[in-house]
Amino acid sequence: MFKSLVGAMLFICMSFSSVAAEKQVLGQTEMMSVSQGGIVFEARMDTGAVNSSLHALNIKVLGGSAKKMKDNVGKTVSFTTENEKGQQQQVSAKIVGTSTVSNSQGTETRYAVKLPITFGDSTRTVKVNLRNRASMDYKLLIGRNWLKGKYVVDVSEQKLIGPTADISIVESGLIFDTRIDTGAVENSLHATNLHIIGEDKSNMENNVGKDVTFTTMNEKGEKAQVTARIHSTSLIRNAQGSEIRYMVTLTLGEPGQEFKVDVNLRDRSKMTYKLLIGRNWLQGHYIVDVDM
């Protein structure tokens, strides 16, 4: 029995090592270029995104644009992209589709084109969403479609985890089908009906140190009420602007391996995943492999 157990453990360890050995390990950011001989971006690896995304300005559909964006599929689009240093590049590519992205501010439709993205000696041509990323720190975001089959993202140098995982939040008693997102700094949990005793509704900072009670729900519709201490607020920036959220400490992780970590609270009712795991949970613990 003991020999069998040891053998099984060795097999699992060897399998993990084999997966990592077959793929190149990337850090949280890498220097990459778009189109042959193009400007170089400090690109953010984002296992939470299906497709890659590029900062695009002055988007023009050559030959005239149809009223509906989807009717421009197959036409050529020209646009200006710009890296973090302010260097610009003109790019033209055929529109291969549109994508509608949902977030807390609503929905946004973007053009998708196919572009070659180069890292070192390796170039992979993938679908790239075009959007104005002027307010974002990283102008090129690398999604799972570029990483898949060849790379793992290492924010931890530890265990392997896939792009989604079953994550338990001890305080809720629930297990969430969770998106693992190396593009996010913080963890984010679906929270509604927030109630703070003695709440100052005019200034969120004045509620730090108070207890907040909220309702959370997983993807199965199972609900739980949780009470936690607000220890800070967090300013989150995205393409739609900025948003301040409360931060609490919760105990979460793979079932039986939970540990305390900071989580921001937001209404994720429009999002597929009610719990998003960011780098503050991954750091020091996991390597993300989008093929798992």
Side-chain angles (χ1 to χ4, degrees), residues 222-279:
E222 299 168 332
K223 295 182 179 181
Q225 195 171 70
V226 178
T227 299
R229 180 68 52 87
I230 300 169
H231 68 72
S232 63
T233 60
S234 178
L235 176 64
I236 306 296
R237 292 189 300 165
N238 53 39
Q240 284 70 40
S242 60
E243 175 187 359
I244 299 176
R245 304 174 190 166
Y246 288 121
M247 294 288 293
V248 300
T249 299
L250 296 175
T251 312
L252 58 106
E254 294 181 282
Q257 302 177 54
E258 299 91 346
F259 55 90
K260 291 187 179 297
V261 68
D262 293 341
V263 179
N264 70 55
L265 305 179
R266 67 173 295 194
D267 185 343
R268 297 181 62 87
S269 56
K270 295 181 180 179
M271 315 299 281
T272 302
Y273 297 93
K274 308 309 178 189
L275 174 61
L276 180 144
I277 290 293
R279 299 194 301 278

Side-chain angles (χ1 to χ4, degrees), residues 178-251:
T178 305
R179 168 62 71 201
I180 309 301
D181 187 354
T182 60
V185 175
E186 301 168 354
N187 308 299
S188 182
L189 175 64
H190 176 53
T192 58
N193 305 319
L194 275 67
H195 178 67
I196 303 169
I197 297 177
E199 179 182 9
D200 184 341
K201 295 185 178 181
S202 64
N203 188 341
M204 293 177 67
E205 290 291 339
N206 291 337
N207 295 317
V208 172
K210 299 177 182 178
D211 286 344
V212 58
T213 299
F214 60 91
T215 301
T216 190
M217 180 180 71
N218 64 13
E219 295 70 25
K220 295 179 180 179
E222 299 168 332
K223 295 182 179 181
Q225 195 171 70
V226 178
T227 299
R229 180 68 52 87
I230 300 169
H231 68 72
S232 63
T233 60
S234 178
L235 176 64
I236 306 296
R237 292 189 300 165
N238 53 39
Q240 284 70 40
S242 60
E243 175 187 359
I244 299 176
R245 304 174 190 166
Y246 288 121
M247 294 288 293
V248 300
T249 299
L250 296 175
T251 312

Side-chain angles (χ1 to χ4, degrees), residues 23 124 143-151 289-292:
K23 296 180 180 180
R124 308 187 88 179
R144 299 196 301 276
N145 65 339
W146 192 91
L147 297 165
K148 197 170 181 65
K150 194 169 181 179
Y151 297 95
D289 183 352
V290 299
D291 288 313
M292 287 181 66

